[in-house]
Each structure stands twice: as structure tokens, then as C-alpha cells.
Amino acid sequence: MRVRLVQSVFVFLHVSVVFSEARVPIPEDYAVSTNFVRWAAQVFHGPNVPHHSGAGVNADPEEKMNATQLITSKGYPCEDHYVTTDDGFILNMQRIPHGLKNSNNTAPRPIVFLQHGLLGSSTQWIENLANESLGFILADAGFEVWLGNIRGNTYSRRHVKLKPSQEEFWAWSWDEMAKYDLPKMLTHALNVTKQTQLYYVGHSQGTMMGFAEFSRNQELAGKVKTFFALAPVAYLGNMESPLKLLSNYVKQIELIYALLGKGEFLPSSEFIRFLGQELCDKPVLDVVCENVLFLIAGFNYGNMNVSRIPVYVSHSPAGTSVQNMVHFAQLYTSGKFQMFDYGPQGNMLKYNQTAPPEYDAKNVTLPVALFSGGHDSLADPKDVAILEAKLPNITHKKVLPEWEHLDFIWGMDAARRCYSDIVQIINSVEKL
């Protein structure tokens, strides 16, 4: 019975794609059929994809470490910090006050704040060897490093009133991350260190949060000396990521919620196979076809330390909301850098206008250093070019022709080709 249901779901999805590509509207009774919604939810809204965590005898112990343990196990100091956002989410951050060889320096250190991307957590900056991980490289270069974690991920699953088991806990997207999470985390880092400015490094969604909030919050933007945007994401109209498949159902948003639920994004194995139907026909590692982060973000097998993959997938995906994934799909459909689209009536209630407001990247006037990949399926070069044309103060630009989305956090040559540039730029700014 289950097999027939899965086959029926895929028939529906295939027909929907055909209708969408032909610009033929899906019949209303077909799109929101009560019976379809009921069994689609049962089939698709399954448990999370299991991580490849260390059950084997030769498993890497880092597979079971949390962010703090990943840091201290390598001899670095670590502090856990917590902040509560204005809408009640309790966020956990890690602080690396100094590196291994410069602990005696008591002078204030430049602060570098690292913000992870979609479906990630702070561990993405510290999962490689110490000489290959940006978090450790920055600490050893003489900087103080802060690692952010946004609402809903492994380290930020608490709220003053709500619980993760409630749908209300997950009623947000990166709009709220930009509006609430980012200012609170950056301000806390500055207050603790008694400094007035810091450097901000974002990857993927971390750049989107920055572009959104720095475009409208000039007070916060003034606290950032340089914004390092790795695999920058704002416009998604040209993305080739399988995530764009969800865009076929954005106008039938109740269908997406039927397939995935309204809470945490916990894709079932059937949905994973749906996303990877083309990629996983190729001879690649099985783990790639079982991990939604690899499917959505793409991977560069030739630039990945295969021995570290079990560590990567034991910590990712780290969690997000279905609403956040829908928001990404909406950006592909609209081709605009805009807030979440609740539909005309919902937008009137939320924004007092029928269409969602757009973020204006032209208002991001702080210094921006852009690092992009030539084969990035999520931050497509054409979309990066649209963003680049709008930013008024790009102080550094580097394109890594063969890089894909995850090379910026896990690439074997990232330290040499990207992180060394970041250190050099910071040192140059500090000398001014």
C-alpha cells in the first residue's frame, strides 16, 4: 500500500511540474483535494533522515562532539554564550577568545563573527582540521572569533514560551533571523568585549541575513568594519539547486505544508529521493543522496576530504523551518530579494500591502568583500552578478571558478584560496 501511495505522490508531482512548465494552472480541486492532502502528509512528512553518526568501531569521535567539544578537543578555549531575541528565541553562540599561540596577548583583539548558512550550525566553521577550519585559522591569526547559531538549529531550539513540538515555534523564515537574531548576536559580542565594531563573515543564508538587515538597519551596519560574503545569496532566480523544485508548488502553499508539515523541516526519505532524482542517478557517494544539505547546496567531490564526510553529516542538516525553505523557493519564483510572501490577504495583514516588500541591496553601504563560486548551484553566478551590480561599496571580489556552495566551508583548498584572503584583508583594515 505504501509503495502505491508513494508512486501516486510522484505522479502528482510530475503532473504538477508539467502543468507549471506549460503555465497551465493546476485545477483547484486537484491541488487541494482533502484526500490527497491527508495521504500525502502521511507519506512525505516522515522522520528526519538519519545522520551517519559514529556507531562503527572506527568512527571519528568528532561525529558525536558538540561545537564546544570540537573546539576544546583541539586545545582552543571556548565559551558558550546565550542571548534571547525580542520575539523569545534563545540562541547559543560559541566564543573562541584566542588561538593556541597568542594567549598571552591581553590587548583587545579584532572580533570576527562567523554566521553559518542554510541548514547549518556553528560547527561548519570548525569541522575540518585546525589548519583548514576558518574558526581556528582566525583565532591563530590573532583575532577573537564568535560563532553564531540562528533559531531552530541544533544549538538554538529553546524559546521563552514555545516548544519545538508546537507549530508556532517554527513560524518564521530568514526574515526573522535578519530582524531579530542577527542584531542580538552581534550586539552581544560587542557588549561582552566592550568594543564598538567587528568583522562579519556570512556563508549562504548568513549572507542573506546580512544583506537584508544591513540594508535597513544602518545603526547595526555601522558596527561592521567589513562584511565578508561567502557564496552570497540574495537573488535566487537563476539557481540550479533541486530546491527550485519546490517553487512549482509555491502558489499551492497549502500543498507544500501538506507534504512537509508546518513545523520543522524534516524531509522523509521519499522527499530526499524526489530532490535527488537526477543527481543520484550518477555514481556518487551514497551519503550525498541521503543528506538534504548536499542535495540542496551541491558538492565538489574532488575538493572534499572524504575522510571528514562522516563528521560533516553527523552535524548537518542542523535544522530549520518549512517556512524558511518555502521562502527560498519563493525567491526563485519571483527573482526578487523580498520578504516572505503570505499571499495578498496575508501580506495586507503583515505588511499593509498586497505584495511582500523588497530589500534594497543598494542600501548596503558598508564595505563588502564578495567571494563566489563559478559552479555554485545555490548562489548562481548570474544571481551574484545581479547582487554585485547593486552593492555600492565592494572592496574585494574573488571568483573561484570551479567552486561550489560547500567549498567555502569544507573545501580542502579553502584555507589557501579564501581564508588567507580574509586574514589579509582584516590585517590591512586594522592598519588603517
Side-chain angles (χ1 to χ4, degrees), residues 130-313:
N131 64 338
E132 297 177 338
S133 299
L134 182 57
F136 299 128
I137 288 173
L138 292 171
D140 285 334
F143 310 135
E144 175 169 325
V145 180
W146 287 73
L147 309 175
N149 284 294
I150 49 82
R151 61 186 60 203
N153 83 358
T154 305
Y155 299 93
S156 301
R157 294 175 63 89
R158 290 193 294 154
H159 189 277
V160 295
K161 295 180 180 179
L162 303 173
K163 297 180 180 179
S165 58
Q166 299 173 273
E167 286 186 356
E168 295 84 354
F169 181 93
W170 301 99
W172 43 261
S173 73
W174 56 264
D175 280 336
E176 285 73 24
M177 299 175 200
K179 181 178 180 180
Y180 298 112
D181 299 3
L182 186 60
K184 187 66 68 170
M185 290 189 294
L186 297 189
T187 301
H188 179 79
L190 291 172
N191 289 341
V192 168
T193 58
K194 295 181 173 58
Q195 297 194 47
T196 59
Q197 287 186 302
L198 50 70
Y199 296 90
Y200 180 77
V201 181
H203 173 249
S204 184
Q205 179 182 262
T207 71
M208 181 178 283
M209 294 164 55
F211 290 127
E213 191 61 17
F214 298 148
S215 72
R216 64 185 174 188
N217 188 340
Q218 296 305 314
E219 180 182 359
L220 184 67
K223 298 177 181 179
V224 178
K225 293 183 181 181
T226 300
F227 174 9
F228 294 91
L230 313 185
V233 174
Y235 299 91
L236 292 176
N238 295 289
M239 75 169 172
E240 294 297 330
S241 164
L243 181 58
K244 70 180 184 181
L245 296 178
L246 277 181
S247 67
N248 291 297
Y249 318 108
V250 163
K251 292 184 179 180
Q252 291 79 32
I253 194 169
E254 69 277 9
L255 173 58
I256 293 181
Y257 288 140
L259 299 181
L260 299 174
K262 289 186 177 180
E264 185 174 8
F265 179 62
L266 297 172
S268 67
S269 57
E270 287 87 354
F271 185 75
I272 293 294
R273 283 195 288 272
F274 165 58
L275 287 182
Q277 56 188 319
E278 294 183 6
L279 174 66
C280 293
D281 286 337
K282 302 174 183 178
V284 296
L285 295 176
D286 289 342
V287 66
V288 172
C289 296
E290 296 174 4
N291 189 289
V292 69
L293 176 60
F294 281 104
L295 290 179
I296 288 176
F299 69 100
N300 184 357
Y301 179 73
N303 196 30
M304 187 177 295
N305 185 341
V306 177
S307 68
R308 302 297 295 173
I309 290 179
V311 177
Y312 305 154
V313 300

Side-chain angles (χ1 to χ4, degrees), residues 377-395:
S377 61
L378 191 55
D380 187 274
K382 292 186 288 294
D383 290 324
V384 175
I386 296 173
L387 173 65
E388 181 185 345
K390 295 179 180 293
L391 294 173
N393 192 10
I394 297 176
T395 58

